[in-house]
Amino acid sequence: MCGTCGCGGAGVRVTRLDGSGHDHGHGHDHGHGHGHAPDDGHGRVVALEEDILGANDALAAENRRALADRGVFTVNLMSSPGSGKTTLLVRTLTDIGTELGMTVVEGDQETLLDAERISATGARVVQVNTGAGCHLDATMLARAMATLAPPRDSVMVVENVGNLVCPALFDLGEAARVVVMSVTEGADKPLKYPHMFRSADLVLLNKIDLLPYVDFDVDAWSAAIQRVRPGAEVRSVSATRGDGMDTWYAWLRAGIGSRRDGVATSA
């Protein structure tokens, strides 16, 4: 759990980029509450973990209510580094970003590299640099939301820090969780990192254009997904070539459609 995962909270920065990809200097240093108290034999570490996750969940619930009130369908996009989730996001924004009013919260330990790629599509993006932290949390999203101000009846995608462990533990206030995995990773990843895949509303298998060239057992991977997350929704895509992307777009359209219907009903 978080108290022993080795992540740190110092040096968190939130930076907004405009459509030209320039940093407008909204940088801030924030700690995100990770403590590392030693276990003194009386459960101090366990208590600390419970306090951290409890406080995070309370703020996540506030984020979720605020986003739902605005009809914003928020997707927490998670994966290991190198799965191609930024490439997937860039193609998505290029193809349907304007249609869905998409905005992006970009999470990385350092650099503005991915945010600049996102901004080049014309989408509004906020970069959150976590410093030593290995995931985003609800406090970071709340700050990013205040800067980004996603429009009503839109899609906001949160590209989490590349990590198959800690991001799964932290609710941000999202409406849905999407896990991206590529065929360049091992087919046993769902079994080795079950919590991440167990929490997924959708799993995307990316880079399927490389299947003829890599040793990846799709059947074994599919069986592993179903073992960890029975009945999981799965889509196979190639973000570079475009294979299967229409199924991903349909899923996003259905998500924002249900959110708009829900807002209309509550109104």
Side-chain angles (χ1 to χ4, degrees):
M1 300 287 282
C2 185
T4 55
C5 73
C7 50
V12 174
R13 301 187 301 280
V14 177
T15 308
R16 185 179 67 197
L17 281 74
D18 68 7
S20 64
H22 296 303
D23 178 0
H24 279 247
H26 296 272
H28 308 280
D29 288 338
H30 302 292
H32 68 344
H34 275 39
H36 295 281
D39 187 351
D40 61 0
H42 298 286
R44 290 178 62 198
V45 169
V46 172
L48 178 61
E49 290 167 353
E50 290 176 348
D51 288 347
I52 290 170
L53 292 175
N56 181 82
D57 289 349
L59 182 53
E62 294 179 17
N63 290 346
R64 184 170 288 109
R65 283 192 295 271
L67 290 163
D69 287 346
R70 295 184 60 81
V72 178
F73 180 59
T74 305
V75 176
N76 187 357
L77 194 65
M78 299 182 287
S79 78
S80 61
S83 68
K85 63 181 182 297
T86 305
T87 299
L88 176 93
L89 192 46
V90 166
R91 185 165 192 135
T92 302
L93 290 164
T94 301
D95 289 350
I96 63 168
T98 301
E99 173 195 337
L100 300 184
M102 293 180 70
T103 55
V104 177
V105 176
E106 184 64 47
D108 279 304
Q109 287 192 322
E110 293 294 345
T111 80
L112 301 176
L113 295 173
D114 286 349
E116 289 168 348
R117 290 177 62 189
I118 298 300
S119 183
T121 70
R124 289 194 294 117
V125 57
V126 166
Q127 175 77 56
V128 179
N129 289 123
T130 62
C134 56
H135 59 84
L136 299 179
D137 62 23
T139 299
M140 296 178 199
L141 182 60
R143 291 169 176 154
M145 285 163 50
T147 302
L148 188 61
R152 290 184 177 275
D153 301 328
S154 66
V155 173
M156 182 173 70
V157 177
V158 181
E159 184 177 355
N160 218 312
V161 179
N163 185 337
L164 285 178
V165 183
C166 295
L169 300 175
F170 283 79
D171 184 6
L172 307 180
E174 67 270 22
R177 289 185 165 193
V178 176
V179 176
V180 182
M181 186 178 153
S182 72
V183 302
T184 55
E185 302 171 68
D188 59 355
K189 285 294 186 292
L191 301 179
K192 295 173 73 173
Y193 301 94
H195 190 77
M196 173 62 75
F197 290 89
R198 192 175 294 128
S199 70
D201 296 290
L202 175 69
V203 180
L204 296 176
L205 181 63
N206 191 24
K207 305 186 183 181
I208 59 171
D209 53 301
L210 298 180
L211 279 172
Y213 314 106
V214 296
D215 182 14
F216 185 87
D217 189 331
V218 175
D219 290 338
W221 178 81
S222 298
I225 288 288
Q226 294 304 318
R227 179 175 167 185
V228 171
R229 181 79 158 88
E233 283 193 69
V234 177
R235 306 283 189 274
S236 296
V237 301
S238 168
T240 55
R241 199 168 64 185
D243 304 31
M245 292 295 286
D246 56 335
T247 64
W248 159 237
Y249 299 161
W251 185 88
L252 284 173
R253 289 185 179 107
I256 187 59
S258 64
R259 180 52 53 94
R260 288 168 177 164
D261 292 344
V263 170
T265 299
S266 63

